[in-house]
Amino acid sequence: MPLSVFSLLLVVFSLTTGEFVIAGILPDVAAGLSVSVGSAGLLVTAYAIGMIVGGPLVTLATARVARKPLIAGLIVVSMAGNLGSALAPGYALAVVSRFVAGLVVATFFAVAIATVVSMAPPGKAVSTIAKVTMGLNLGIVAGSPLGTVLGHHLGWRATFGAVAVVSGIALLLVLRFVPAQPATGSVRGELRVLADRNVWQAIGLTVLGNVGVVTVFTYIAPLLTDVSGFSELLPVLLVLYGVGAVAGNYLGGRWADRALLPSLAWMLAALVVALAAAWLGSPVKPVMIGLVFVLGMLAFGIVPGMQARVIAAGSSAPTLAVAVNASGFQLAAAVAGLLGGQVIARAPQSIYLLAAVLTVIGLGIALYALRRERLSTDSRR
């Protein structure tokens, strides 16, 4: 892997760890800030709001900034947000710090993906994207558990401090190895891309294709313990999910390089089947052990292709399109939390069925886009 790509992967790893690690140290954060766990949970909401708002606004505000200094600046803001979280003397400043940390994430993803696509060998754009987005998998599989352990032993503030340190190391690598590239474009050009219905179709595919499996992941701990009867094996199963995610991210990128929309369509179809199988077989432990791996693989297998789809649809100004796409993913996560919260208390096993139905909608968008693409190809012959 080129060091330029690895440096961006490391940034993604630090950003993902900083986003998800709070789940493991939330009671410690609540105690340290003298608030309830519910109030501490709003720190997660503040980060998500920062991503949703910051995606379009920060991207537009920085459209004329050259990519390398822009990436460096975004990393510095993220470091400031995490250091603010580590040093916050009270709850209010902690909330503001989490908002600041989330504010630049969507724009960073957009600029980083546009940068690696421009550096990718011909025909390898999606698999190159997958190398960067592997930082997501590693942040969930390794970063969050390690950050949780660090927080339990040295205090929750040390966790956010460590995230800032990793971001600082990544910043040095970015400055050394990422080549200089011109600015993304003009504000008018970026805004013009949002008038393209193909861009919104691609963003809709991301939101509706992911909302189902994100709902399952949000409540995966109670699903595996209360429905499937796993308790002591829960950490092992979460690692298994993460291993599947890493494998899916790698394979999904390679499959999408060969046939973008067809690969997305069949992976979404397979995801529907896997979710339906989990609904029917969740009380059967051997079945669920296999399905945990499959769900992780398919959930992250679709990610590189969906990013590439947005870039292809918004090729004239892809940065804003990808940033809005990242904000859309956060919106999907927020909706997933609300929908799953309504179901988990009444019929937890039905979350799998709900997720399958939602994924069918995403599959429908993929099949519609695939049909339009084939009709367009046939008309040009």
Side-chain angles (χ1 to χ4, degrees):
M1 180 186 299
L3 287 172
S4 57
V5 175
F6 174 77
S7 63
L8 296 173
L9 179 155
L10 189 60
V11 181
V12 173
F13 169 79
S14 68
L15 294 178
T16 305
T17 301
E19 177 180 3
F20 288 100
V21 74
I22 193 170
I25 57 174
L26 198 60
D28 305 273
V29 174
L33 296 175
S34 301
V35 297
S36 67
V37 172
S39 295
L42 292 178
L43 297 175
V44 179
T45 304
Y47 193 99
I49 292 174
M51 278 195 69
I52 293 170
V53 172
L57 295 183
V58 174
T59 302
L60 288 173
T62 58
R64 293 185 177 275
V65 180
R67 285 179 182 172
K68 186 171 181 175
L70 175 56
I71 289 173
L74 296 173
I75 297 171
V76 169
V77 173
S78 174
M79 290 171 61
N82 282 300
L83 285 174
S85 302
L87 301 173
Y91 176 68
L93 188 54
V95 171
V96 172
S97 296
R98 297 316 295 154
F99 175 81
V100 170
L103 196 63
V104 297
V105 174
T107 302
F108 172 81
F109 272 101
V111 178
I113 288 173
T115 299
V116 297
V117 166
S118 68
M119 298 187 299
K124 300 292 184 181
V126 188
S127 55
T128 305
I129 291 173
K131 291 175 182 177
V132 173
T133 57
M134 189 176 290
L136 289 167
N137 313 137
L138 296 175
I140 294 171
V141 176
S144 294
L146 288 173
T148 298
V149 171
L150 181 66
H152 289 165
H153 285 82
L154 299 180
W156 62 271
R157 295 179 185 276
T159 299
F160 290 118
V163 171
V165 169
V166 174
S167 296
I169 295 171
L171 173 60
L172 296 176
L173 293 174
V174 165
L175 292 174
R176 173 65 180 83
F177 295 109
V178 173
Q181 293 189 358
T184 300
S186 66
V187 173
R188 182 177 297 178
E190 292 288 341
L191 285 173
R192 191 181 298 120
V193 78
L194 295 183
D196 190 336
R197 69 173 185 174
N198 290 324
V199 170
W200 286 109
Q201 184 186 91
I203 292 172
L205 177 59
T206 294
V207 174
L208 294 171
N210 280 286
V211 67
V213 75
V214 171
T215 303
V216 170
F217 182 74
T218 302
Y219 295 95
I220 193 168
L223 286 171
L224 291 177
T225 54
D226 298 341
V227 177
S228 299
F230 294 106
S231 54
E232 296 179 358
L233 283 179
L234 179 60
V236 177
L237 291 176
L238 292 177
V239 171
L240 182 63
Y241 183 96
V243 172
V246 172
N249 185 78
Y250 173 75
L251 294 172
R254 292 177 66 88
W255 291 330
D257 270 334
R258 297 171 186 171
L260 179 54
L261 275 174
S263 69
L264 282 176
W266 79 253
M267 280 190 284
L268 285 169
L271 188 54
V272 171
V273 173
L275 289 166
W279 172 55
L280 295 171
S282 54
V284 184
K285 289 184 178 181
V287 170
M288 283 309 299
I289 290 174
L291 284 175
V292 164
F293 176 84
V294 171
L295 288 173
M297 184 176 71
L298 292 172
F300 283 86
I302 60 178
V303 171
M306 287 182 172
Q307 296 285 358
R309 179 65 181 165
V310 173
I311 290 174
S315 56
S316 61
T319 310
L320 181 60
V322 175
V324 173
N325 191 55
S327 297
F329 187 87
Q330 286 298 312
L331 181 62
V335 171
L338 292 173
L339 290 176
Q342 296 299 312
V343 176
I344 192 75
R346 301 175 186 176
Q349 189 172 342
S350 298
I351 284 184
Y352 292 115
L353 179 60
L354 171 65
V357 171
L358 292 170
T359 307
V360 166
I361 302 174
L363 173 60
I365 295 176
L367 292 174
Y368 173 74
L370 180 59
R371 180 174 179 273
R372 284 188 60 204
E373 184 179 85
R374 287 176 173 171
L375 288 174
S376 176
T377 301
D378 290 343
S379 67
R380 291 196 298 266
R381 290 175 179 173

